[in-house]
Structure formats: C-alpha cells, structure tokens
Amino acid sequence: MDLYEAVARRRDVRAEFSGEPLDDAVLERVLGAAHRAPSVGMSQPWDFVLVRDPGTLGAFAQHVAGEREAYAADLPPDRAATFAAIKVEGVREAGLGVVVTHDQSRGGPQVLGRRTIADTGLYSTCLAIQNLWLAATAEGVGVGWVSFFREEWLAERLALPPGVRPVAWLCVGPVTGLQEVPDLERHRWRSRRPLADAVHHETYRRTPAESRS
Ligand SMILES: Cc1cc2nc3c(=O)[nH]c(=O)nc-3n(C[C@H](O)[C@H](O)[C@H](O)COP(=O)(O)O)c2cc1C
C-alpha cells in the first residue's frame, strides 16, 4: 500500500474488530513506525502501555460507558438521538489496548525547540500516534482512538508515574474490513470540510458558512 492509499483508507475503527489476536511481528512493526516519529528536540516523549488483561479492558470499557452517558446527557434531544446510534469504542472486541502516554519531563527542562511552545511536546506524542495509525492501516490492522476517559482514572489504573499523561487509548486489532466513510459521516453527525475551506492565502479568512458553525 502506498502512503496516499494508507492515508485514504485509514479509519477510526469501532465495530469491525474480528476478535482474532494480533500477530506479534505485526505489532512490533507498527510500534516501530510509531517510535520513528519526529519529536521536538528529539525528546521522544511517548511510551506505549500494552493492555490485554480482560479485567482492565472491561473496567476501562465501563468507565468509557459512564463518560459517554455524561456526554449524551448534555446534548439537545435531536443530537442525543443521532449520538445514540454511534459506537465510540471497541475496547473489548479489539482485545488489545495500546495506551500512548506523554512525559513532558523527558529530555530535561531545556528541550531544543520547546522553549516558546510547551505544547510541541504533546504534538510529538500525537505524531507517534498518527505513525502508528497509518502503519496499522498498511498492515490491514484496525485502530480506534478512545478519548472518553478521565486522565486521572486511567493513570491510576495503569500505575503511570506522576506527570506521565495518558494521551490516547488505542483499540488495536485485526479487522473484518475498513469502512469507506467515517462513522460520524455515515451517521450524519458531522461531515468533512471541503479542502478549499481549510486552505488560506496570505491571511486567515473564514467562509461565511464557517462563521456560522
Ligand atoms: C484526538 C482524537 C480523539 C478521538 N476520540 C474518539 C473517541 O473517543 N471515540 C471514537 O469513537 N472516536 C474517536 N476519535 C475518532 C474520530 O471520531 C474520527 O477520527 C473522525 O470521526 C474521522 O473519522 P476517521 O478517523 O475514520 O477518518 C478520535 C480521534 C481523535 C483524533
């Protein structure tokens, strides 16, 4: 698969996990791709906690269900009805959680390039996630990013050291196939903006339609 094909085929997977175990060699390659990501000052602030214990998977899925309910309770009725049909995680079905963590202290206090923008550390960890996601797609493996969780809850459950933040719980596993259209578009929750609206020339201008949404 070439890069553009992987970019186009990558999907956030919730329902298509087959439940088969992921081959160790494939997982190693995918994690290797994540670990080759660029990082500010080469700080490499990420780590990967691999979670397979059914007790932890079940406890996390329950925690996510609670946060999902809390989110739904704040929605207006029409949006709540649309949201009800949307699956937001495949934690148990995937059978493997890759929790990507961020350590802002890695590399010391004077990380090259991070002096004026502290978030560049976090951006680096997110680039590792994107590398992982694209490599998994090229391997025919599904990834679903779950963010319906409380950082403190997951940090405690995984015994993360103080200051190490859980950035993403990634459900990772073999799939029966990948959807062609993102779930949120299929469920008419939100659709992709035209590229032309995202590209600006010389100064930032919003289209009249975007100023309203
Ligand atoms: C930072 C981040 C957090 C996300 N959190 C969730 C989540 O909690 N549950 C979920 O189902 N999808 C989550 N997603 C997936 C997005 O909904 C998905 O990427 C988007 O709808 C576009 O679909 P696609 O990834 O299939 O192209 C998250 C994605 C990102 C980048």
Side-chain angles (χ1 to χ4, degrees):
M1 196 184 291
D2 80 12
L3 181 61
Y4 283 98
E5 197 185 343
V7 167
R9 293 200 54 201
R10 184 208 54 77
R11 275 285 73 77
D12 186 81
V13 175
R14 293 117 165 163
E16 291 79 23
F17 292 109
S18 68
E20 285 156 34
L22 183 59
D23 185 80
D24 283 345
V26 174
L27 179 60
E28 187 71 21
R29 285 199 294 274
V30 167
L31 292 174
H35 196 56
R36 271 187 218 110
S39 60
V40 64
M42 217 170 167
S43 53
Q44 305 159 76
W46 53 75
D47 284 276
F48 310 103
V49 183
L50 309 184
V51 182
R52 296 187 176 91
D53 174 51
T56 309
L57 296 178
F60 181 68
Q62 266 187 331
H63 173 73
V64 168
E67 292 303 325
R68 179 201 167 105
E69 264 179 45
Y71 174 72
D74 288 339
L75 292 171
D78 59 324
R79 293 297 272 169
T82 307
F83 181 63
I86 298 174
K87 191 169 162 60
V88 298
E89 53 85 16
V91 172
R92 293 190 189 86
E93 301 91 318
L96 170 65
V98 177
V99 180
V100 184
T101 63
H102 174 71
D103 184 354
Q104 184 78 357
S105 71
R106 187 157 305 139
Q110 289 173 319
V111 170
L112 187 156
R114 209 186 60 189
R115 193 170 83 90
T116 54
I117 307 175
D119 284 346
T120 47
L122 211 44
Y123 303 159
S124 307
T125 294
C126 291
L127 289 168
I129 296 172
Q130 180 72 345
N131 267 14
L132 184 156
W133 212 337
L134 290 175
T137 306
E139 296 276 4
V141 169
V143 173
W145 184 326
V146 184
S147 55
F148 279 75
F149 64 83
R150 299 265 166 193
E151 285 192 28
E152 322 81 68
W153 186 94
L154 192 55
E156 191 181 333
R157 182 88 200 192
L158 302 182
L160 301 186
V164 174
R165 295 175 62 185
V167 173
W169 178 296
L170 303 177
C171 306
V172 180
V175 285
T176 50
L178 292 174
Q179 294 286 346
E180 284 186 14
V181 178
D183 274 18
L184 299 194
E185 271 194 292
R186 284 194 302 121
H187 288 286
R188 298 183 192 284
W189 180 261
R190 197 168 164 83
S191 54
R192 194 174 299 286
R193 302 163 65 206
L195 173 62
D197 287 0
V199 177
H200 305 257
H201 297 276
E202 316 309 342
T203 59
Y204 188 105
R205 299 261 166 106
R206 291 189 127 173
T207 63
E210 290 225 316
S211 303
R212 289 193 296 272
S213 68

